Amino acid sequence: MSSTSQAAPPASPATGPGRPRAGSGERGFRPDIQGLRAIAVSLVVVYHLYPSALPGGFAGVDVFFVISGFLITSHLWRTASKSGRLSLVDFWGRRARRLVPAAALVLAVTWVGSYLLLPSSRLTDTAQQIGASALYFQNWLLSGDAVNYLKSNDAPSPVQHFWSLSVEEQFYLVWPLLFLVGLLVARRWRRTAPAEGTAPAEGTASAEGTASRPGSAAPEGGAFPPDTASAPGAAPVPGPGAASAPAPAAAPGPAHDKVLRRTVFALTAALVVASLAYSVDDTRTDAAAAYFVTTTRMWELGLGGLLALLPATLSRAIGRHGWLGWAGLAMIAASQFVLNAGTPFPGWIAILPVGGAVLLIAGGSAEGRGGPWRLTSLRPSVFIGDISYSLYLWHYPVIVLYTAWRGKEAGLATGPALIVVSVLLAWLTKITLEDRVRLAPFIARHKWRSVGTALAAVVPVTLVAVFLATQPGAWDGKLGPGYPGAAALAGHVTSLPAKPVLPPPAVTVPLPDYWADGCLDGEHAAATKVCTFGDRKDPTLTVVLVGDSIAGNWWAPLNTIANQEHWELVTELHATCPWTAAALYDPTAKGAYPACSQWGQNVLSDLLTKVHPDVVIATGSAGNTTMANRQPGPAARAEVGAGEATYWAQLESHGIPVIALSETPDTGLDGPACVTKYGPYAKPCDIARSVATFTDPPTSYAARALHGQVPVIDLNSLICSPSVCPAVVGNVLVYFDSHHLTQSYSQTLTPYLKAKVVPAVAAVRAAPGK
């Protein structure tokens, strides 16, 4: 999403004061595209403030992607067709001076605000994301973390929205290369073709590019307004180090443009098809990671590029159909309520907002008869479009830092106030920084000085690098005698240090090792992911741990026990999906959860046909609901438990015994943040045990359904006291969010789990029929 600005051209007799000019030669200005930017950024802002009011507002980013592809491709086409060459240094320099200074300012200010307002437990993650945002690879960082699930219970980073800017910057690195290839092909054609004057022209494309095309895009830009700092479409000024296609012997003409257009169009179409196919497949298998990566989003920018590459005559003909603009606007509006946070995205469903943006650009200009240009060209819309880049940068840090300061989400009164603050910051940033850097002659007239503006990113990178360098080194995972953990609740510790010093995970809590190893299936994955731990060389038994990430709470002690007892430990774990045959309800998607159902069936098939375990250990979250019982309560827990019993019975019928672990407590409280704010043993961090646990969890129902054939091991008395579930036990942080145990605390449960699970394994294997 690139930042640029332009001034609307004066009205002329042909257009009149009330009708925006659709195209004006080389300086064609489309206020309707400014309005489309305003729509896109407004959707995102409202979504971040009130996600339940506009559940599909995140698709505003996809609208930005289409605008970026359209405008950048238009700019590259004009430059390449008019001059017959393309300077990469000039192109990237323009992008740098439009994007980096404002982004660097927001990131630096956000870091200062984060340091002052966020809990220290969130600072390391925030610092890493600020650094990744400044260097434009944050989308890959978030994808690698699979943030949609693994950190879904953490408060979001104030710069998480920078992922889309990373996608666009990576797009800008790749896209000019298509035109370089096109120029090389056109040059080769000119060497072998007859005189160019004999070739037919395509539309009105000529040495003037698309200058005369009505409804043409603004001169250049990305998802935000283009600039008029220099003559748009003018040939780049040759400079030292310019990377470009060799200049042809003579000025290019219509036939050269025809070859260039067709070559770039073909390359773009191929990339769009490949990216869309990959997006569909990757979203189906791992939607959490697919959401952020460039490869699943490139087709959205590419469709905008294809629209920009249409011949001028065809573009004019399409642009006269104003109904296309209304259809596009309707598709964008529909996407706001068809989509929600639980929708696997992007994939096929992204065609709804993306296609809407394409149609609105194609038929939304003043050239379109009866089109929506009067609505999208209103002065307030154009103003918001002008500041949309800075508004996108500022709004999310303002929302997140306000929430951290006040300790609650924005209400009906504070939400509009936050919008006003964001708009004011955006306007000030645009007029005092964006425009001044972008239009400064000293910078704009020299491509290397333009590229040099990217050094502004050094400021936020340096700030967070200094912070990260001062943090404690990696924790070795060992707990000394001052950290007894569960032993304190077991009555094996009589005294603790008066002022406990928590181990490093209390500040920076690492993910459990099995998560770091990629052994947790994503929320929307249906395929199984089998991982092996413990004694893998000469095991005496194969023990399988199956369930959701709550089952994963027991991975650390079970892995230790497996190594001690020479068991092979196999895991089949899935995010937010316990192993039950019940039809679960997905509250995020507000509907069925087919991926979980399919995964459960695949696990059963794995166990019976591939793994052939000696024992299966099963557990999961107690808070799931079903399609028949969508509200939490005994009925939902009973149905989930019945579904667990269904799978357990099938294993038992094949001679594979099952052991259940009782569901661990869910406090509903961010443990690290509470401890950081109030201290390790503060009462606000204690949650009543009656609130965090159930007397009738699904495993109890399942065990009763099988008439006690499956033993249930309950160690919750070593996680909670009889009355409360503390955030810290025995100087060890219990949770790294509200319901996932820290690996350090789960390790302290090892001797107590071993004392119960080893005899249980022996007993179930010795039972008749096993």
Side-chain angles (χ1 to χ4, degrees), residues 324-352:
L324 291 174
W326 286 113
L329 192 59
M331 291 173 67
I332 294 172
S335 69
Q336 304 310 298
F337 304 100
V338 171
L339 305 174
N340 58 61
T343 306
F345 199 84
W348 283 111
I349 195 66
I351 292 177
L352 186 60

Side-chain angles (χ1 to χ4, degrees), residues 62 92 117 157 368 425 606 721 765:
D62 303 86
W92 290 330
L117 297 174
S157 156
L425 288 171
D606 280 352
S721 74
R765 295 192 68 234

Side-chain angles (χ1 to χ4, degrees), residues 292-358:
F292 298 102
V293 297
T294 309
T295 45
T296 64
R297 299 287 189 163
M298 190 69 78
W299 67 275
E300 301 180 23
L301 296 115
L303 279 179
L306 288 177
L307 182 62
L309 289 168
L310 293 177
T313 50
L314 179 58
S315 179
R316 287 197 194 94
I318 294 174
R320 285 192 285 269
H321 294 281
W323 65 269
L324 291 174
W326 286 113
L329 192 59
M331 291 173 67
I332 294 172
S335 69
Q336 304 310 298
F337 304 100
V338 171
L339 305 174
N340 58 61
T343 306
F345 199 84
W348 283 111
I349 195 66
I351 292 177
L352 186 60
V354 170
V358 170

Side-chain angles (χ1 to χ4, degrees), residues 128-173:
Q128 291 172 342
Q129 289 202 34
I130 285 177
S133 298
L135 299 176
Y136 295 105
F137 68 89
Q138 196 218 23
N139 63 317
W140 294 101
L141 175 66
L142 293 178
S143 176
D145 288 344
V147 71
N148 272 4
Y149 175 71
L150 298 185
K151 297 184 179 179
S152 61
N153 293 287
D154 292 344
S157 156
V159 295
Q160 190 164 298
H161 64 310
F162 268 74
W163 73 269
S164 60
L165 304 177
S166 298
V167 169
E168 288 208 13
E169 283 304 296
Q170 293 156 28
F171 166 77
Y172 297 148
L173 288 177

Side-chain angles (χ1 to χ4, degrees), residues 577-589:
C577 176
W579 194 43
T580 177
L584 293 185
Y585 174 69
D586 184 348
T588 305

Side-chain angles (χ1 to χ4, degrees), residues 70-444:
F70 177 73
L71 295 180
I72 288 299
T73 304
S74 297
H75 165 66
L76 289 168
W77 165 253
R78 279 190 301 274
T79 301
S81 65
K82 184 172 184 177
S83 65
R85 65 193 299 271
L86 185 67
S87 169
L88 296 181
V89 175
D90 180 70
F91 176 79
W92 290 330
R94 287 171 179 262
R95 306 278 71 72
R97 74 173 189 261
R98 286 159 177 75
L99 293 173
V100 180
L105 171 66
V106 173
L107 290 172
V109 172
T110 299
W111 171 245
V112 174
S114 299
Y115 191 82
L116 296 174
L117 297 174
L118 294 184
S120 58
S121 58
R122 292 172 58 186
L123 289 180
T124 296
D125 180 65
T126 299
Q128 291 172 342
Q129 289 202 34
I130 285 177
S133 298
L135 299 176
Y136 295 105
F137 68 89
Q138 196 218 23
N139 63 317
W140 294 101
L141 175 66
L142 293 178
S143 176
D145 288 344
V147 71
N148 272 4
Y149 175 71
L150 298 185
K151 297 184 179 179
S152 61
N153 293 287
D154 292 344
S157 156
V159 295
Q160 190 164 298
H161 64 310
F162 268 74
W163 73 269
S164 60
L165 304 177
S166 298
V167 169
E168 288 208 13
E169 283 304 296
Q170 293 156 28
F171 166 77
Y172 297 148
L173 288 177
V174 172
W175 215 243
L177 304 182
L178 302 185
F179 283 84
L180 290 182
V181 172
L183 287 169
L184 291 173
V185 170
R187 183 187 183 199
R188 182 178 181 83
W189 174 86
R190 290 188 66 193
R191 289 177 176 174
T192 58
E196 189 164 340
T198 64
E202 182 179 355
T204 58
S206 65
E208 297 302 314
T210 58
S212 60
R213 182 195 307 181
S216 64
E220 71 170 297
F224 299 95
D227 76 273
T228 53
S230 58
V237 179
S244 62
H256 170 276
D257 286 358
K258 188 174 184 179
V259 175
L260 174 62
R261 187 197 302 273
R262 289 183 174 180
T263 302
V264 177
F265 192 94
L267 293 172
T268 301
L271 192 149
V272 166
V273 171
S275 175
L276 177 57
Y278 180 80
S279 179
V280 171
D281 181 69
D282 202 33
T283 301
R284 178 181 57 83
T285 57
D286 193 357
Y291 185 87
F292 298 102
V293 297
T294 309
T295 45
T296 64
R297 299 287 189 163
M298 190 69 78
W299 67 275
E300 301 180 23
L301 296 115
L303 279 179
L306 288 177
L307 182 62
L309 289 168
L310 293 177
T313 50
L314 179 58
S315 179
R316 287 197 194 94
I318 294 174
R320 285 192 285 269
H321 294 281
W323 65 269
L324 291 174
W326 286 113
L329 192 59
M331 291 173 67
I332 294 172
S335 69
Q336 304 310 298
F337 304 100
V338 171
L339 305 174
N340 58 61
T343 306
F345 199 84
W348 283 111
I349 195 66
I351 292 177
L352 186 60
V354 170
V358 170
L359 291 179
L360 192 49
I361 294 173
S365 75
E367 195 71 18
R369 299 186 182 93
W373 62 268
R374 289 181 177 85
L375 176 65
T376 54
S377 301
L378 292 172
R379 286 188 177 182
S381 297
V382 174
F383 169 74
I384 295 298
D386 282 342
I387 65 169
S388 55
Y389 175 61
S390 289
L391 180 55
Y392 185 84
L393 293 178
W394 278 114
H395 84 280
Y396 202 55
V398 167
I399 294 171
V400 172
L401 294 179
Y402 168 83
T403 302
W405 173 54
R406 297 293 294 171
K408 60 181 180 180
E409 302 293 332
L412 293 178
T414 52
L418 294 179
I419 293 175
V420 171
V421 170
S422 300
V423 169
L424 180 61
L425 288 171
W427 175 70
L428 290 173
T429 301
K430 184 178 187 300
I431 63 173
T432 62
L433 181 64
E434 277 191 68
D435 289 349
R436 292 197 178 191
V437 173
R438 179 176 54 82
L439 300 176
F442 177 77
I443 299 174

